[in-house]
Amino acid sequence: MTQTADVRTVQTEAVAEQADERVLVASQWQLVRWRFLQHKLAVISLIVLGLFYSVAIFAEFVAPYDPTEFREELTLAPPHKIRFVDPEGNFHLRPFVHPFEKTLDEVTYAAIFIEDETVMQPLGLFVKGDPYKLWGLFESDIHLFGLQDPDARLSLLGQDTVGRDLFTRIVYGSRISLTIGLVGVAMSFFLGILIGGLSGYLGGTVDMVIQRIIESLRALPTLPLWMALSIALPHDWPVVRTYFFIVIILSTVGWTSIARVVRGRFFALREEDFVGAAELDGASNLRVIFRYLLPSFMSYIIARLTLAIPQMILGETALSFIGLGLQPPAISWGVLLNDAQAIRVLALSPWLLLPTAFVVVSILAFNFVGDGLRDASDPYSHV
Amino acid sequence: MTDAIQPAGRGDRAIISVRNLVKYFPIESGLLRRQVGLVKAVDDVSFDLNDGETLALVGESGCGKTTTSHCIIQAQRPTAGEVHFRIGDTRPVDLTKMEKADLKKARRNIRMIYQDPYSSLNPRMTLLQIIGEPLKIHGQVKSQDELRARVSDLLRLVRLDPSTLNRYPHAFSGGQRQRIAIARALSLSPKVVIADEAVSALDVSVQAQILNLLKELQRELGLTYLFVAHNLAVVKYEADRVAVMYAGKIVEIGETEELYTCPKHPYTEALISAAPNPDPDTKNRPRIVLTGDVADPGNLPGGCSFHPRCRYAEDLCKQETPPLMELSAAGEPSHQSACHFADRLSLAGIGAAELTTDRDAA
Ligand SMILES: Nc1ncnc2c1ncn2[C@@H]1O[C@H](COP(=O)(O)OP(=O)(O)OP(=O)(O)O)[C@@H](O)[C@H]1O
Ligand SMILES: [Mg+2]
């Protein structure tokens, strides 16, 4: 019969016949994942981010000390050298540190910290230390690592201007610094999809008004706008409220670019025949939006969002650094850097700048992940 | 207006009757979107689509073919005019006056195949979802198993392997995708299928396969086709009748063989002469090269829109728009042309022999 002959011809014209059956039945998200996994730098960055966020989530456990507990005698103490070899030249499998002994410089009266080589304080995993309540729920005093002697202090990244442990504070600071980007982006995402969607779906006058508003907002320089808005925040507000308003301030500009993308995609997709075909199939407006329009650019939007997070992190850091963002007792990387402003302090205690390294690493990681996602987000562009 | 449903006694076989269909797009400019003109994409088009036939709608790019088919299925609402749709002996209904809910029902019987099979299939859905979507929306299946069975049947109908129903469109070639689009169009057992340049995006070798498939399906299922194409070559094998469009108007409509062998409009003559001609005997017939651009539907010339490009134009053509007029005698198949000199000109078509050899070859 002609039918069997036809089937054969159809098979010979197949483009992907040799391709793996897995690819043929792969959904959009699977294709995105495969393409993303080929982007080595993005994968590594994703792992780094995973690590950072785990640290933020389990800050109480990961940080060896309480972030507010200070030891005056250790004010501005430098980072410890972690040692494996004792002064006699014996090798120890378990790393250890020598405690600091503080003296005063006879000329300048500046504090000088000298390691007391007669005492060895070994490090340990899951050591007892300051008591804490994980997420305000679980009481414990076990820390991931620290010195085995609960009264001694390990100065991993140095001590700050009042003798608080800098590493501990960076770990706690990551909570605010890393989440402010996420919350801010979630907010931009919500506003952007809503307003951009309306603009693209309704078109006409609504679209024109929204576009003009977006253009005016984008014409304003970001940092001065943020500064102007945050000056208006009362200084005596509780940390949570300030945090929330900072997020709002950071999102004032962020949503506009997402709204633009959403609007553009709506316009472009409405031209696609498969959307018209769905309408002719009898699909309702909601079905068209949720089954056809949104899934078509969700991956792309997520990639855009990832690229927007670093801006938010930088925004918070910058605002807090110049003293307009979060204020102590809140701890964020920006607040920590605010401490490091005095040149004199910096010259003698450069480790106070270490929070910058964390800012840089997390921002780079977000950028690489975003790049990888963006390249992978439209698997149909190259297939 | 009232003769809309049965004009000239020929509407009795019509499943769709298009009457005085008009679609204008406003040209807007400036910040305030002031209207500065009109694109007359479809301008007073009337024709019948008879039950079981294939009517081809042919014309150059931009002449309003897509707009016409969209206005029939109400994907775009026409500016004016009526589209009567009738199944069997029921009373015709005017689609242009229908509300969304009623249209949804009517559209079960009028389905569309798009030109570009890469854009007309949602890349995020499997064949099962794509072809099953209309069935689901119209509540035609009760269970997932039934859906799979129905979609498998449809895939077999378009000669695709039913085991592929979990694949995504990216796994298929252009020709295969167009088969998928056909399966989707047929899923609701429609009466009428509008194919908007359904093969022009495909390789020539694949085109013939899809055309054959459409022909076979028409025989098996008793379908009626409105077949949109931009050149006459493709249409020859497929169509029972041909309507030629120019600048938003139908300029000639008649049975395929009649229209090819003795065209009655200079534009048809030019189109025929432009079509590739495989017959060595008449290979050297003079080619009519159309000068000038296609008429801009936003700024049409006065009189007959075709006159600036017409070899036979006279003063009358610049002043008066010719109506579409019946040329054949009563009792013979209808042949209409919109040319002032339709009965005086003797225009060159192709030899009848050439037409039949072409058909046999197909
Ligand atoms: N939404 C619209 N707004 C304004 N003008 C339009 C719109 N849609 C179509 N037109 C114009 O109407 C005319 C007819 O367009 P249409 O798409 O129906 O042509 P066509 O015969 O299908 O052409 P093609 O062979 O290129 O598909 C064109 O000049 C086009 O520019
Ligand atoms: Mg078209």
Side-chain angles (χ1 to χ4, degrees):
Chain A
M1 272 191 55
T2 57
Q3 191 161 326
T4 48
D6 249 339
V7 172
R8 216 170 299 132
T9 47
V10 169
Q11 276 169 352
T12 50
E13 68 161 281
V15 279
E17 209 60 52
Q18 289 89 347
D20 201 331
E21 177 73 18
R22 277 189 331 144
V23 175
L24 303 182
V25 297
S27 74
Q28 175 207 5
W29 292 107
Q30 280 168 310
L31 291 177
V32 168
R33 207 175 63 222
W34 289 335
R35 296 240 329 237
F36 182 81
L37 289 179
Q38 287 170 5
H39 200 305
K40 288 286 173 304
L41 206 51
V43 175
I44 294 170
S45 300
L46 191 67
I47 295 170
V48 169
L49 285 180
L51 211 71
F52 272 33
Y53 276 94
S54 321
V55 166
I57 291 170
F58 299 104
E60 288 92 343
F61 171 65
V62 175
Y65 301 101
D66 185 304
T68 53
E69 194 225 0
F70 58 92
R71 299 201 181 173
E72 229 182 322
E73 74 279 10
L74 284 177
T75 295
L76 289 177
H80 267 132
K81 288 200 176 68
I82 311 259
R83 298 175 189 274
F84 289 90
V85 183
D86 65 21
E88 278 95 60
N90 302 321
F91 179 80
H92 295 260
L93 204 55
R94 187 181 279 282
F96 63 90
V97 297
H98 297 302
F100 284 125
E101 207 154 75
K102 185 174 169 181
T103 55
L104 285 184
D105 188 300
E106 277 161 23
V107 184
T108 62
Y109 292 101
I112 299 175
F113 293 91
I114 298 168
E115 291 186 339
D116 178 1
E117 298 200 342
T118 58
V119 185
M120 274 169 51
Q121 290 176 330
L123 272 75
L125 285 175
F126 306 108
V127 294
K128 270 189 187 305
D130 295 332
Y132 60 86
K133 246 184 170 180
L134 186 60
W135 310 321
L137 291 176
F138 309 107
E139 270 187 66
S140 173
D141 56 358
I142 303 293
H143 294 261
L144 178 63
F145 68 96
L147 295 180
Q148 281 171 340
D149 174 7
D151 294 326
R153 176 165 287 204
L154 168 69
S155 178
L156 192 63
L157 299 180
Q159 306 294 304
D160 75 0
T161 45
V162 285
R164 293 172 298 201
D165 182 45
L166 189 59
F167 177 73
T168 299
R169 289 178 67 76
I170 288 176
V171 166
Y172 276 87
S174 70
R175 276 206 167 148
I176 284 179
S177 293
L178 289 178
T179 56
I180 212 156
L182 290 190
V183 179
V185 153
M187 188 130 141
S188 306
F189 180 77
F190 176 75
L191 284 175
I193 292 219
L194 187 74
I195 299 176
L198 280 178
S199 197
Y201 198 72
L202 299 175
T205 321
V206 178
D207 178 46
M208 209 187 67
V209 172
I210 291 177
Q211 289 314 305
R212 294 300 91 73
I213 293 175
I214 288 180
E215 275 157 25
S216 345
L217 267 177
R218 291 177 71 88
L220 297 172
T222 325
L223 198 59
L225 176 71
W226 286 345
M227 285 167 62
L229 289 172
S230 46
I231 284 171
L233 298 183
H235 274 214
D236 49 0
W237 271 4
V239 173
V240 177
R241 197 189 296 170
T242 317
Y243 173 89
F244 198 68
F245 272 85
I246 297 277
V247 171
I248 294 181
I249 289 170
L250 293 177
S251 310
T252 46
V253 179
W255 68 269
T256 56
S257 59
I258 298 196
R260 289 226 144 163
V261 173
V262 171
R263 168 183 177 268
R265 289 264 147 163
F266 257 80
F267 273 134
L269 279 170
R270 289 195 70 86
E271 298 296 308
E272 288 277 342
D273 286 340
F274 71 79
V275 176
E279 278 163 5
L280 292 184
D281 282 348
S284 62
N285 276 346
L286 282 183
R287 195 181 177 97
V288 169
I289 292 178
F290 284 102
R291 244 176 108 79
Y292 292 83
L293 297 180
L294 282 181
S296 301
F297 58 82
M298 203 39 101
S299 52
Y300 181 78
I301 294 274
I302 289 174
R304 284 293 298 244
L305 286 175
T306 315
L307 290 172
I309 293 175
Q311 263 209 320
M312 302 250 168
I313 295 180
L314 272 181
E316 184 274 328
T317 308
L319 282 183
S320 303
F321 174 71
I322 54 182
L324 290 175
L326 290 157
Q327 314 282 342
I331 309 169
S332 78
W333 293 343
V335 171
L336 295 183
L337 286 173
N338 184 275
D339 269 359
Q341 274 187 357
I343 298 285
R344 198 185 60 85
V345 169
L346 268 189
L348 297 173
S349 324
W351 55 89
L352 288 181
L353 277 179
L354 277 173
T356 322
F358 289 81
V359 174
V360 168
V361 170
S362 59
I363 284 172
L364 282 179
F366 268 115
N367 276 329
F368 288 136
V369 169
D371 271 348
L373 278 177
R374 190 184 46 201
D375 293 348
S377 68
D378 203 358
Y380 304 105
S381 56
H382 305 275
V383 172
Chain B
M1 272 200 12
T2 42
D3 68 346
I5 301 166
Q6 303 212 334
R10 284 198 169 95
D12 50 341
R13 281 178 55 222
I15 188 162
I16 288 179
S17 300
V18 177
R19 288 296 171 268
N20 310 105
L21 194 69
V22 174
K23 179 69 181 179
Y24 291 164
F25 295 106
I27 307 172
E28 291 167 340
S29 94
L31 209 60
L32 299 174
R33 310 239 161 122
R34 210 158 40 85
Q35 185 179 328
V36 295
L38 273 182
V39 177
K40 299 185 173 180
V42 177
D43 196 6
D44 196 16
V45 160
S46 303
F47 63 88
D48 285 333
L49 183 61
N50 295 325
D51 201 354
E53 77 167 346
T54 301
L55 173 65
L57 199 57
V58 183
E60 281 166 290
S61 185
C63 70
K65 308 175 299 281
T66 299
T67 310
T68 305
S69 35
H70 281 178
C71 285
I72 291 175
I73 202 165
Q74 307 299 310
Q76 291 174 337
R77 289 290 192 171
T79 312
E82 290 152 36
V83 176
H84 296 279
F85 173 58
R86 175 175 58 185
I87 310 175
D89 293 327
T90 56
R91 270 185 60 78
V93 285
D94 186 353
L95 298 179
T96 62
K97 308 220 162 39
M98 271 193 175
E99 296 301 323
K100 223 181 155 184
D102 294 328
L103 258 184
K104 185 173 159 184
K105 268 186 233 142
R107 283 189 187 136
R108 268 164 55 176
N109 283 304
I110 311 174
R111 305 281 291 157
M112 182 123 180
I113 302 171
Y114 289 84
Q115 168 173 3
D116 178 4
Y118 288 87
S119 139
S120 70
L121 305 177
N122 188 346
R124 273 101 187 148
M125 287 162 80
T126 62
L127 298 205
L128 180 67
Q129 291 169 320
I130 291 171
I131 301 172
E133 183 82 345
L135 292 168
K136 268 195 182 148
I137 291 172
H138 289 270
Q140 304 269 298
V141 284
K142 283 168 201 68
S143 66
Q144 195 66 20
D145 285 343
E146 193 185 347
L147 185 71
R148 293 183 84 88
R150 291 281 290 275
V151 172
S152 300
D153 287 345
L154 285 161
L155 284 174
R156 248 174 250 125
L157 191 66
V158 296
R159 328 294 191 235
L160 282 174
D161 183 356
S163 67
T164 57
L165 51 71
N166 284 326
R167 295 188 183 177
Y168 287 82
H170 65 87
F172 296 89
S173 68
Q176 291 173 317
R177 284 172 186 235
Q178 203 56 297
R179 286 170 195 262
I180 299 166
I182 294 172
R184 170 177 61 191
L186 296 180
S187 59
L188 295 169
S189 313
K191 292 273 181 280
V192 179
V193 173
I194 300 177
D196 187 357
E197 311 217 17
V199 297
S200 42
L202 306 176
D203 287 349
V204 178
S205 60
V206 183
Q207 281 189 1
Q209 290 177 15
I210 299 292
L211 289 175
N212 282 339
L213 175 69
L214 286 171
K215 262 256 156 315
E216 280 173 42
L217 290 171
Q218 182 171 42
R219 263 197 303 266
E220 278 173 49
L221 307 170
L223 297 169
T224 305
Y225 287 145
L226 179 63
F227 194 88
V228 175
H230 63 246
N231 70 51
L232 281 169
V234 170
V235 164
K236 258 191 305 209
Y237 322 120
E238 194 71 18
D240 301 308
R241 289 194 305 140
V242 176
V244 179
M245 272 190 94
Y246 187 79
K249 284 185 174 1
I250 289 187
V251 294
E252 183 168 4
I253 178 169
E255 305 230 322
T256 309
E257 192 168 331
E258 166 83 5
L259 189 127
Y260 273 75
T261 49
C262 47
K264 291 291 182 198
H265 196 284
Y267 181 59
T268 315
E269 183 191 36
L271 278 186
I272 291 172
S273 127
N277 178 10
D279 185 348
D281 291 347
T282 49
K283 193 118 212 164
N284 299 325
R285 78 191 145 140
R287 215 160 238 265
I288 302 166
V289 180
L290 283 178
T291 51
D293 287 331
V294 188
D296 171 10
N299 181 21
L300 290 175
C304 173
S305 305
F306 187 58
H307 83 256
R309 303 171 77 194
C310 181
R311 306 198 290 167
Y312 313 100
E314 294 181 18
D315 276 347
L316 175 63
C317 302
K318 292 175 195 150
Q319 279 134 31
E320 269 180 50
T321 310
L324 193 62
M325 281 192 310
E326 185 60 61
L327 299 172
S328 61
E332 281 177 40
S334 166
H335 188 173
Q336 300 175 322
S337 161
C339 175
H340 291 299
F341 306 105
D343 42 7
R344 250 180 288 162
L345 293 174
S346 115
L347 303 172
I350 50 175
E354 189 188 324
L355 191 65
T356 44
T357 49
D358 276 3
R359 285 209 161 183
D360 293 343

